[in-house]
Amino acid sequence: LGKGGGGTSYDVDQAVRYAAGLANDSGTVPERPAQVINLSLGGAPFSQSTQALFDEVRAAGVLVVAAAGNQASAAPVYPASYNGVISVSAVDAQRRLASYSSTGPNIDVAAPGGNNSVDQNGDGYPDGVLSTGGTVGNNGINFAYTFANGTSMAAPHVAGVLALMKSVNGQLTPADIDAMLAAGELSDDLGAPGRDDQFGHGIVNAQRAVLAALQAGGTTPG
């Protein structure tokens, strides 16, 4: 996407194709395709061609994670609501559903998204997610750490956990991850018992996920 986030769904599709090592308009592919793709974006309507793309990416063994949306409703948001994409809702620092987080039947898992409007732990900073950021100035981009909130902050937590899993068991497929997620092996249950429309299968738990990945690969964790 361009400066300020400008771009089209076609641009995003091309970026996904490139990252996954598939043919794309640039005529190039990375030397080593991504194993996990994070999409902290949304807003385009459903597209059958984009669904076909994610089917192709999944068939290539690439995991795709996306932000569920900040609409505070159950209306589907894309790309998170495409089949084969892991949709991530957001919780605040108290492990409650964030007020802005989208919900609904497509939610797979929850992760920290933060809330910049409060400081409930009293540390003098907003309860957002501290991340790298940048602002455009006269001398170019000025980089800094900044607090942000949204499902766009929750999704990369999950993508990072999936990367940890792949680092200890590179044979895991998207179908394997789906099965482990549905079995509750990657998360701590929140909300109604089992899967629900707010937290999916619960809040992601990095330690449980890595142990599950090791066990799936035949390694008994210490």
Side-chain angles (χ1 to χ4, degrees):
L1 299 178
K3 185 167 64 176
T8 67
S9 56
Y10 182 84
D11 297 329
V12 175
D13 288 357
Q14 289 298 309
V16 168
R17 296 190 67 84
Y18 175 84
L22 304 176
N24 62 86
D25 287 356
S26 76
T28 64
V29 293
E31 181 177 341
R32 184 177 180 183
Q35 297 184 54
V36 184
I37 295 174
N38 182 78
L39 296 171
S40 285
L41 49 85
F46 174 84
S47 164
Q48 188 57 54
S49 63
T50 300
Q51 178 63 74
L53 167 60
F54 287 123
D55 293 342
E56 187 178 357
V57 169
R58 181 182 173 90
V62 180
L63 299 162
V64 181
V65 181
N70 303 326
Q71 281 69 41
S73 77
V77 173
Y78 297 95
S81 294
Y82 282 113
N83 292 334
V85 174
I86 297 174
S87 176
V88 185
S89 64
V91 297
D92 62 18
Q94 283 70 45
R95 296 164 67 96
R96 299 173 303 203
L97 185 73
S99 60
Y100 51 77
S101 181
S102 291
T103 58
N106 296 308
I107 301 298
D108 295 302
V109 67
N115 183 354
N116 276 354
S117 66
V118 298
D119 176 19
Q120 294 192 330
N121 62 5
D123 64 358
Y125 296 99
D127 291 347
V129 177
L130 187 61
S131 181
T132 52
T135 57
V136 179
N138 294 331
N139 298 319
I141 299 176
N142 301 310
F143 296 103
Y145 289 100
T146 182
F147 287 95
N149 60 199
T151 56
S152 285
M153 308 307 292
H157 280 88
V158 174
V161 169
L162 295 179
L164 290 174
M165 294 177 69
K166 293 284 284 188
S167 76
V168 299
N169 184 351
Q171 302 305 308
L172 289 173
T173 67
D176 293 333
I177 296 296
D178 287 349
M180 296 162 83
L181 185 59
E185 297 177 2
L186 313 185
S187 58
D188 296 329
D189 195 22
L190 286 180
R195 197 218 153 266
D196 62 73
D197 287 356
Q198 292 187 324
F199 307 102
H201 295 286
I203 184 171
V204 69
N205 182 318
Q207 182 184 41
R208 291 195 68 197
V210 171
L211 293 178
L214 285 168
Q215 290 169 338
T219 300
T220 302

